[in-house]
Amino acid sequence: MPRLPSLALVLLLFVCPALALELKPVGKPAVGQRTEVVISDVPEAGNPFDPDQIRVDVEIRTPDGRSWTQPAFWHQDFTRSLVAGKEQLEAQGKPHWRARFWPKEAGPHKLTVRIQKANTNAGEAAAEIVVASGNPGPGYVRRSKQHLADLETEDGKLLRLIGPNICWPEGQGTYDFDRWFKLLRENGGNYARLWSCPWWLGFEHAPGRLNRYPLDEAWRLDHLFTEAEAMGLYLLISLDHHGMYQVNNQNWGGTNNWWTRNPYSKEAGGPCDGPNEFFTHPEARKLYQKRLRYLIARYGYSPQLVSWQFFNEIDNTFIQQVKHDDSLAWHAEMGRWLDANDPMRHLVSTSMTGGSDQPAFYSLPELDFTVYHSYQDPAPARKLAALAEDFVARYQKPMLVGEFGVDVPRLNLAIDPYLRGFRQILWGTAMGGSAGPGHSWWWEDMEKEGIYPLYGVFTQVMTRAGWLTGDWRPARIEQNLEAPASVDAAAADAAAFSMEIALNPGRRLVIRGSAAIPTAFAAERASEYLPRLIYGTRNPSLPSKVTVAFAAGPQAKVTVRVNSVASDNVFVARVGGREVLRETFVDQDKKTLVNGEISKDFSFPVPEGVQTIELENIGYDWTALDSLRIENARETRFAGGWKYALEACALRSEGRGVVYVVAPSAVYPAGALRYRLPKVERESVTLVDWPAGDFTVTWFDPETGAELANSQASSQEGKLRLAVPAFSVDAVAVLAPLLPTSSGVALSKPQ
């Protein structure tokens, strides 16, 4: 190969008379690195962010003849410093035009700059820069061509996204991200989700910013991409959050005035009368596309960008002024616009709340993967594994649990002190075939509480299993984990007990609303089936009735405490179909918050014997319960003798496999507060439809990564039975085929 010239820049030869520019690389261009070019002497314009006033495009032609057009962007240099623990930025020099790209081959690259002013050609000019050799890297992120559930890079390698949300800093700005990115990388992570919002990286999130973007915030995002590229981290940018498109949303701390500060609103000088007009007004759509063009120009070069994500939890806006179908049409149009205008064809997504299934959105071909947010999900390993598998099967595209938490307003170690729920979400999502383990929301608290190493253990075990290559799909397991909703009659000498029945606080979670309570432990696990919020006609897919079956002893009594209502409701209680209580509640504060508005107990007796009680909400919106207590119940059995068993979910790729198991007493939230749980001993898990052969089985502790046991197992008639070593909370097994050798000694299949 001939030696490349050392001169990295051949200065411009202008083509159009009266237009002379200069292109100067920042640093030395090299393959596999951000190549940035300063464009000097561009004609002035009133608003350099508005392509209708001035449009600067750069056609890039590579040595092998490939070409594409990349928009240029208006840029300002800054330096950063920490002053009294706060990040301060100081502008350096004057604002100017730049262009960026990510070269994949060495040699001379021809750059042709074309300028339009007021949509009229103002001339063009060409220059050549020489790119030095280097490692091009794995390339841009794509949906896998072979496996519909997976993401991959352009080199054909699978990409598993491992890491939390790291959406905004604490007090030190980008310095916080420096620390968190390093911590993430040290613990096996490769991914973080960012937010663009009023308090961080807000391109159009305050009055005066409509099509006039803050260059200091843009520089901060530059810095995050610089760090991510150096460390091999992948970033997803969520471009808007739903609060900006809601009015008086009490769940955001009372009166929400973000819409009045949204630059698209007429109150802030924009074109839109209300939030829904953002999705329908032609001028608003055109302005938004200008923002997308700027983001493509500035960040679209980077292969570390996983996806443009239009919204965080867009379905939250459907509660008020935004119309589902208008938002749906907007997503389709903007997805098509990105596909036509992003030269690197980055993935496109949006996100939904927990418990929200939005088939019309998830089915859009313009959205490349589905995103579910999991909060307060009961039995999360089992349920999220099933949910991930279901999403992939129904929508035929990759799936991510983009946020998770055992609680909504905070990490709340008080309800998950040993991180049992955290681990069950982390592992359960991956076992369902998602494109990565669940992405935790509480990034700051994860650092303070030392939680990041749980991602490290996950990565270590899954790498050993070979999860980074091959076609991995959920494996079938022989188990029956759905508790019956009825009980057998109690024996005459059955022990009496009283119980507080656990209710699930999650909003919009689709759970069945009926449970059987034969024992105090069943009462503790009832949150898998019984909601705290009993919904009305507004949400017909959610339970409007709670049904509980149990064996009542002499003088049995039920006490239900009602917290608050979100509308004028009638609350009815029945025993064996007979009405025993009817109360009318008036929504006096007109708020949709669980805020103790009523806070009153209601009690009624229950006759002896097997009984079913019903609590029904007759009204438009929810009635929230504080507690449900039954006194003088009798211990009995679930109907048919059903018992709680070890819970398991698994992945497989041919003869390789990973199995995650949870002890019955540790299924979150049951047992979450107990320091020491009983040991599970002499248990087994049976995988079905398993290929014939012999396999090594290595068990690990998912909390520490310590190896627990080694054994071998043989598949017979399509079933592989695994003996589970003694454990108390959870365990994970890695399976690999045994291969015969000439010496007769069986070895594990190399990964």
Side-chain angles (χ1 to χ4, degrees):
M1 177 181 293
R3 181 186 296 270
L4 294 174
S6 59
L7 183 64
L9 168 70
V10 178
L11 285 180
L12 159 75
L13 303 173
F14 69 84
V15 174
C16 178
L19 178 62
L21 307 177
E22 180 184 20
L23 275 69
K24 183 178 181 181
V26 178
K28 184 177 180 180
V31 169
Q33 297 180 19
R34 177 197 300 174
T35 293
E36 193 157 346
V37 178
V38 175
I39 308 171
S40 302
D41 303 320
V42 175
E44 293 185 2
N47 181 6
F49 300 106
D50 188 352
D52 287 341
Q53 293 189 32
I54 184 165
R55 181 185 183 104
V56 181
D57 290 304
V58 182
E59 181 188 19
I60 301 164
R61 186 170 295 276
T62 65
D64 68 357
R66 291 180 300 111
S67 68
W68 70 95
T69 297
Q70 180 79 19
F73 61 94
W74 191 241
H75 174 87
Q76 169 72 64
D77 272 322
F78 290 88
T79 57
R80 63 174 186 160
S81 60
L82 277 178
V83 179
K86 301 288 184 181
E87 181 182 62
Q88 300 290 331
L89 297 187
E90 184 175 346
Q92 301 292 311
K94 295 181 179 181
H96 53 272
W97 288 93
R98 290 193 179 190
R100 290 173 175 164
F101 68 102
W102 190 272
K104 298 180 180 179
E105 60 177 310
H109 286 61
K110 182 180 178 181
L111 275 59
T112 302
V113 180
R114 297 185 175 92
I115 298 177
Q116 290 183 348
K117 292 199 69 177
N119 296 311
T120 300
N121 290 332
E124 66 178 54
E128 190 175 88
I129 65 171
V130 176
V131 174
S133 298
N135 180 1
Y140 294 90
V141 181
R142 302 286 185 253
R143 286 169 60 173
S144 173
K145 296 177 181 178
Q146 289 79 32
H147 317 308
L148 63 87
D150 293 329
L151 302 176
E152 65 184 21
T153 44
E154 285 182 304
D155 60 1
K157 294 181 179 178
L158 289 181
L159 176 63
R160 309 295 193 187
L161 299 177
I162 304 170
N165 291 264
I166 309 182
C167 293
W168 57 79
E170 291 186 297
Q172 297 187 356
T174 60
Y175 290 94
D176 284 330
F177 280 84
D178 292 349
R179 187 175 70 256
W180 290 329
F181 281 2
K182 182 173 183 291
L183 191 59
L184 176 62
R185 184 76 273 185
E186 290 172 348
N187 285 282
N190 66 353
Y191 165 82
R193 176 176 178 244
L194 313 175
W195 267 29
S196 180
C197 56
W199 55 91
W200 178 247
L201 305 180
F203 282 83
E204 277 187 334
H205 296 82
R209 291 187 178 180
L210 197 61
N211 199 207
R212 291 184 179 273
Y213 316 122
L215 292 174
D216 54 349
E217 294 297 284
W219 184 91
R220 287 187 168 101
L221 188 51
D222 286 347
H223 177 84
L224 301 189
F225 270 98
T226 299
E227 293 300 301
E229 288 156 12
M231 302 171 73
L233 299 178
Y234 290 90
L235 303 179
L236 179 149
I237 307 174
S238 191
L239 302 180
D240 281 283
H241 81 99
H242 55 83
M244 295 291 289
Y245 299 88
Q246 291 178 297
V247 177
N248 298 333
N249 181 359
Q250 298 143 11
N251 294 307
W252 286 87
T255 300
N256 166 23
N257 63 350
W258 279 333
W259 171 249
T260 64
R261 291 181 286 150
N262 188 324
Y264 285 90
S265 71
K266 283 192 174 178
E267 294 93 327
C272 301
D273 269 325
N276 197 66
E277 281 204 355
F278 170 79
F279 299 95
T280 61
H281 198 295
E283 184 181 349
R285 290 186 175 206
K286 186 175 180 181
L287 285 165
Y288 185 81
Q289 288 169 353
K290 290 178 181 180
R291 190 209 310 183
L292 292 179
R293 172 183 162 85
Y294 186 83
L295 294 171
I296 289 168
R298 191 149 188 164
Y299 311 105
Y301 73 92
S302 181
Q304 302 309 121
L305 175 61
V306 171
S307 170
W308 309 109
Q309 186 173 91
F310 289 128
F311 271 93
N312 175 70
E313 298 183 351
I314 182 60
D315 55 322
N316 266 324
T317 68
F318 305 158
I319 297 171
Q320 294 185 319
Q321 291 87 351
V322 174
K323 297 178 181 178
H324 172 280
D325 289 352
D326 290 338
S327 178
L328 179 70
W330 181 94
H331 275 76
E333 179 181 334
M334 294 306 161
R336 290 191 295 269
W337 191 92
L338 276 172
D339 186 63
N341 290 276
D342 178 1
M344 299 301 111
R345 307 288 296 277
H346 292 284
L347 301 180
V348 178
S349 64
T350 200
S351 72
M352 304 291 170
T353 57
S356 179
D357 190 358
Q358 296 286 340
F361 278 84
Y362 292 146
S363 299
L364 284 175
E366 292 83 5
L367 297 181
D368 290 298
F369 54 91
T370 63
V371 182
Y372 177 91
H373 289 177
S374 169
Y375 288 96
Q376 299 172 323
D377 276 299
R382 164 170 50 104
K383 295 201 172 186
L384 290 177
L387 183 140
E389 183 178 3
D390 175 62
F391 271 36
V392 171
R394 280 197 289 139
Y395 300 116
Q396 297 289 292
K397 59 180 69 172
M399 181 269 189
L400 290 176
V401 174
E403 293 181 13
F404 79 74
V406 298
D407 201 3
V408 174
R410 57 197 180 280
L411 177 68
N412 202 354
L413 288 182
I415 64 172
D416 191 22
Y418 309 111
L419 299 171
R420 294 165 185 164
F422 188 101
R423 292 200 304 276
Q424 289 169 40
I425 298 171
L426 196 70
W427 285 88
T429 52
M431 296 300 104
S434 64
H439 307 302
S440 173
W441 178 250
W442 308 108
W443 60 94
E444 314 102 309
D445 294 321
M446 284 176 59
E447 177 192 27
K448 295 169 186 173
E449 302 295 340
I451 298 173
Y452 276 93
L454 290 180
Y455 276 105
V457 172
F458 175 89
T459 303
Q460 168 194 331
V461 173
M462 295 299 281
T463 300
R464 174 160 174 169
W467 185 56
L468 301 182
T469 61
D471 184 12
W472 289 81
R473 301 178 184 180
R476 305 274 74 80
I477 300 175
E478 198 175 76
Q479 57 185 350
N480 176 17
L481 300 176
E482 193 74 9
S486 56
V487 298
D488 290 339
D493 59 348
F497 70 99
S498 296
M499 54 190 167
E500 188 88 30
I501 297 177
L503 304 173
N504 191 278
R507 292 173 180 247
R508 301 190 217 172
L509 291 183
V510 182
I511 53 182
R512 75 186 188 196
S514 61
I517 311 295
T519 63
F521 181 62
E524 192 173 354
R525 288 195 57 170
S527 66
E528 298 169 32
Y529 304 103
L530 301 181
R532 180 188 185 189
L533 270 64
I534 310 176
Y535 282 84
T537 57
R538 179 179 179 179
N539 292 279
S541 65
L542 299 174
S544 62
K545 183 189 300 183
V546 163
T547 304
V548 179
F550 68 102
Q555 299 181 329
K557 184 175 74 171
V558 172
T559 300
V560 56
R561 185 171 182 82
V562 177
N563 179 291
S564 49
V565 293
S567 66
D568 295 348
N569 296 335
V570 176
F571 183 70
V572 177
R574 302 182 186 89
V575 177
R578 181 176 60 88
E579 186 174 307
V580 295
L581 176 71
R582 178 176 286 259
E583 291 286 336
T584 298
F585 298 129
V586 177
D587 182 17
Q588 297 180 353
D589 61 6
K590 304 303 179 185
K591 292 183 177 180
T592 57
L593 300 174
V594 180
N595 58 2
E597 176 187 14
I598 296 170
S599 295
K600 186 176 179 181
D601 287 337
F602 301 91
S603 298
F604 51 88
V606 179
E608 189 172 359
V610 173
Q611 299 290 351
T612 298
I613 63 169
E614 296 176 354
L615 306 176
E616 185 176 10
N617 171 33
I618 302 174
Y620 174 67
D621 213 337
W622 50 255
T623 294
L625 308 183
D626 262 343
S627 60
L628 177 59
R629 181 172 176 79
I630 298 180
E631 298 177 41
N632 296 322
R634 293 282 193 178
E635 287 191 354
T636 182
R637 303 185 309 168
F638 283 104
W642 184 92
K643 295 180 180 180
Y644 289 108
L646 192 85
E647 298 205 354
C649 44
L651 279 178
R652 60 172 289 186
S653 178
E654 297 180 348
R656 294 179 290 164
V658 182
V659 182
Y660 177 68
V661 297
V662 182
S665 59
V667 173
Y668 190 83
L673 303 183
R674 294 195 183 98
Y675 173 69
R676 194 180 302 278
L677 293 175
K679 275 195 176 297
V680 175
E681 298 182 289
R682 295 181 294 278
E683 288 284 355
S684 64
V685 172
T686 300
L687 302 168
V688 298
D689 300 325
W690 200 265
D694 298 323
F695 301 86
T696 62
V697 185
T698 307
W699 289 91
F700 297 91
D701 182 339
E703 181 179 13
T704 65
E707 193 171 302
L708 299 177
N710 276 287
S711 62
Q712 295 182 12
S714 297
S715 176
Q716 298 179 2
E717 298 181 348
K719 294 186 177 183
L720 182 67
R721 182 180 175 276
L722 308 179
V724 181
F727 75 104
S728 297
V729 180
D730 53 357
V732 59
V734 171
L735 285 66
L738 285 171
L739 295 178
T741 68
S742 57
S743 63
V745 178
L747 301 174
S748 293
K749 182 178 179 180
Q751 305 302 320

